[in-house]
Amino acid sequence: MSKLHREHVDVLIVGGGMIGLSLSILLAQQDRKVMVLEQHVQPQLTDELALRVSALNDRSRQVLKQCGVWQRIKNHRSGPYNSMQVWDKDSSAHIEFSAAEVDAEDLGAIVENNVVEHFLWQRAEQLGVKIQQAPQWQLLTAGNESHSAEVQLEQQLVTADVLVGADGGRSKVRHWAELPLTFWDYQQQGIVANIRTEKPHQGIARQVFLPTGPLALLPTPEANTVSIVWSADQAFAEQLLAESPARLAKWVESESGRVLGECRCESAVKAFPLRMQYARQWQQQRLVLVGDAAHTIHPLAGQGANLGFGDVKTLAEALGSGHLKALDELQRKLSAYQRSRKAETQVMIAAMELFKRGFGTANPLLKGLRAVAFAIPNRFTPLKRKLAEIALG
Ligand SMILES: Cc1cc2nc3c(=O)[nH]c(=O)nc-3n(C[C@H](O)[C@H](O)[C@H](O)COP(=O)(O)OP(=O)(O)OC[C@H]3O[C@@H](n4cnc5c(N)ncnc54)[C@H](O)[C@@H]3O)c2cc1C
C-alpha cells in the first residue's frame, strides 16, 4: 500500500457551499491555515437566472462584505428588495412593510446561490484556502486533548485542530458524530421556477398563504421576472409537478390573484422536499457544525442561509486569533458559539411555526382569528417594525 501524504491545517471545513466558503474566508483573514473539502467543482456564472436564489438580509450582506465579495456579486447580478407583502388568499389577513418604515435603503437582496458560491470560491483561493475536490473521504476521529481531528482522502491524511461540518442538511459529518437530531417532515415540496410576469415586481417580495401551502414571489434583478418558491402540500405538489411549466405559471397567476398580471414560465421547474431539523448538539471534541448541517427551516420566510451566515460570523469571532490546540480552551469557544446560535435558531424555528400555523390553517375559527390578529400588526407600526427588523436580520 502506498504511503499516505500527511497535511496539517488549523481548520478543515467539509462542504464548500455559501456557508463553508464564507467561513473559510473569515478564518483565512485571521491568518489561519484552512482547507475546504467539496464534492463539486466551482459553480460557474451563467447568462440566464439560476433556479436557486436566496433572499439575504442585511446582516448576511455584511458578512459577504467582510469576505470582500459583495461588490463582485452586486456587479454581476443581484436584486435589492425594498418591501414585503404577505397576505392570505382566503381572508383579509395582510401584512405589508417597507424599508422606509425602518429607515433603511432596502430590506435585503435576492441573490443566486451559485453566483455567491462562485465569488466566495474565487476569493477563498485568492486568500490561500485550499479547496480540495473530494467526493470520497472518511472521518477517522474528531480528535481529543492530544490529537487532532483526522480525515482520510484517497492518498492523503488531513489533520486539523478544528473540523467544521458545513456539508448541508444531510451532513455526513453530523451523521458520523451521531449528534442527536430533532426533525419533522412538513409533507411539502418546495417548488422553484422563474416566472415572467406582465407587470414589473417593483422590488417587492410577496408571499401568499394558500390552503395548499405558501407561495413566495421573489423579485429577481430582472424587472419582470420573479423567482417562485411554492411550498406545496405533498399531493398538490405532485399534481403541479406532473403538469407543464406553462400550466404551473397559470396556477401562480390565479393563486396570486393576478397581482403581477399574466405569468409565463421560462425555466425548468425543480422541487425540494421540506423538512425542519436541528441538531440538539452542535459540537463534539474538535468537531462543530454550521449552516444547514446544524439546522434547516421552512423556506417561507427565507431565513435558512441567513441563519447560516449568522453562524459563520459568530464562529469566526468565537475562534478568534489565539491557538486552537488546547482542547478545553477550544471547547469553551465552541460552547459559547453553540449557546448563542442555538438560541437564535430556536427563536427562528418557533417564529416560522407560528407564522406557518397562523396563516396555513384551514380551520374556519382560526381563519377568523388570524384575520384579526394579522390586521393588528399591519396597523400597529411598532409590531410591524419588529417584523421588519427580523427580516433585516
Ligand atoms: C426552496 C428553498 C428556498 C430557500 N430560500 C431561501 C432564502 O430565500 N433565504 C435564505 O436565507 N435561505 C433560503 N433557503 C435555505 C438555503 O438555501 C440554505 O439554508 C443554504 O443554502 C445552506 O447553505 P449551506 O452552505 O449550509 O448548505 P448547502 O448549500 O447544502 O451546501 C453544502 C455543501 O456541502 C457539499 N457537500 C455535501 N456533502 C458533502 C460531502 N460528503 N463531501 C464533500 N462536500 C459535501 C455540497 O456539495 C454543498 O456544496 C432556501 C431553501 C430552499 C430549499
Side-chain angles (χ1 to χ4, degrees):
M1 206 176 102
S2 58
K3 208 165 166 266
L4 286 176
H5 164 73
R6 290 178 76 93
E7 180 164 2
H8 183 79
V9 292
D10 297 324
V11 185
L12 175 62
I13 300 172
V14 180
M18 290 191 278
I19 302 310
L21 287 172
S22 51
L23 179 65
S24 78
I25 292 171
L26 295 192
L27 295 175
Q29 285 171 343
Q30 294 170 358
D31 290 330
R32 303 250 182 234
K33 186 173 179 196
V34 186
M35 185 189 283
V36 174
L37 299 186
E38 169 54 47
Q39 60 190 354
H40 294 134
V41 295
Q42 180 180 15
Q44 292 309 307
L45 302 175
T46 54
D47 285 341
E48 72 273 13
L49 276 175
L51 272 184
R52 287 297 305 274
V53 304
S54 297
L56 296 187
N57 62 26
D58 192 51
R59 189 177 60 178
S60 300
R61 195 165 41 187
Q62 293 304 329
V63 173
L64 291 171
K65 279 185 186 163
Q66 210 182 327
C67 289
V69 295
W70 176 250
Q71 204 52 42
R72 296 183 204 183
I73 294 167
K74 198 174 157 197
N75 291 348
H76 176 73
R77 200 160 53 206
S78 81
Y81 61 99
N82 45 46
S83 60
M84 285 190 186
Q85 290 177 357
V86 182
W87 71 98
D88 187 3
K89 184 167 180 258
D90 278 355
S91 77
S92 55
H94 180 95
I95 298 178
E96 189 172 348
F97 55 83
S98 67
E101 288 176 83
V102 282
D103 298 326
E105 212 173 289
D106 57 44
L107 290 173
I110 309 291
V111 294
E112 293 154 80
N113 294 9
N114 66 346
V115 171
V116 178
E117 287 164 358
H118 173 87
F119 288 114
L120 284 171
W121 187 302
Q122 187 186 63
R123 176 80 179 135
E125 286 191 327
Q126 281 168 355
L127 290 170
V129 173
K130 186 168 173 186
I131 306 179
Q132 180 114 3
Q133 206 200 333
Q136 297 294 338
W137 49 270
Q138 227 186 326
L139 211 168
L140 303 180
T141 166
N144 57 29
E145 178 55 54
S146 44
H147 284 98
S148 308
E150 289 181 1
V151 171
Q152 187 178 337
L153 313 180
E154 265 184 359
Q155 296 300 321
Q156 199 178 358
L157 183 72
V158 184
T159 60
D161 295 336
V162 184
L163 174 78
V164 181
D167 49 344
R170 294 188 185 161
S171 171
K172 187 170 145 184
V173 172
R174 184 189 66 228
H175 194 252
W176 178 90
E178 294 180 358
L179 295 175
L181 196 65
T182 293
F183 65 90
W184 59 83
D185 198 318
Y186 285 114
Q187 303 292 331
Q188 286 182 330
Q189 301 259 353
I191 297 176
V192 297
N194 290 330
I195 303 277
R196 292 279 297 168
T197 59
E198 184 190 353
K199 298 183 198 165
H201 52 60
Q202 296 179 307
I204 302 171
R206 297 176 170 86
Q207 176 131 248
V208 49
F209 281 79
L210 305 166
T212 48
L215 164 65
L217 308 161
L218 301 175
T220 71
E222 293 170 18
N224 287 68
T225 303
V226 291
S227 163
I228 64 148
V229 183
W230 197 335
S231 306
D233 293 344
Q234 198 59 39
F236 186 59
E238 278 162 27
Q239 184 190 333
L240 284 178
L241 290 167
E243 291 180 356
S244 65
R247 184 78 198 108
L248 173 79
K250 287 296 143 198
W251 274 106
V252 171
E253 185 181 309
S254 61
E255 294 297 87
S256 63
R258 299 193 95 243
V259 66
L260 293 171
E262 225 171 90
C263 294
R264 275 183 297 131
C265 180
E266 292 188 340
S267 71
V269 177
K270 276 202 172 167
F272 301 85
L274 300 182
R275 182 176 150 108
M276 189 300 295
Q277 63 184 31
Y278 74 90
R280 294 198 294 281
Q281 191 187 326
W282 294 20
Q283 63 165 123
Q284 185 186 91
Q285 300 290 84
R286 296 181 175 276
L287 176 156
V288 64
L289 303 178
V290 286
D292 273 22
H295 45 72
T296 59
I297 64 169
H298 198 285
L300 75 86
Q303 291 298 328
N306 288 317
L307 275 179
F309 282 114
D311 297 348
V312 166
K313 184 170 164 41
T314 307
L315 182 57
E317 282 168 6
L319 291 178
S321 51
H323 78 86
L324 305 168
K325 296 226 179 283
L327 187 63
D328 52 352
E329 176 62 20
L330 174 65
Q331 288 197 323
R332 257 197 301 280
K333 293 176 174 185
L334 297 183
S335 295
Y337 154 75
Q338 169 177 284
R339 221 174 13 257
S340 135
R341 296 308 302 159
K342 260 177 102 171
E344 182 170 335
T345 303
Q346 282 163 352
V347 167
M348 190 58 79
I349 287 171
M352 285 313 92
E353 284 310 296
L354 194 72
F355 226 70
K356 186 168 174 293
R357 284 168 211 267
F359 268 108
T361 180
N363 178 313
L365 180 64
L366 289 178
K367 270 164 77 171
L369 273 177
R370 82 184 166 206
V372 176
F374 284 99
I376 294 169
N378 203 37
R379 281 198 228 111
F380 187 41
T381 306
L383 257 180
K384 269 174 48 176
R385 204 182 167 85
K386 193 75 213 153
L387 287 170
E389 279 166 12
I390 292 176
L392 281 167

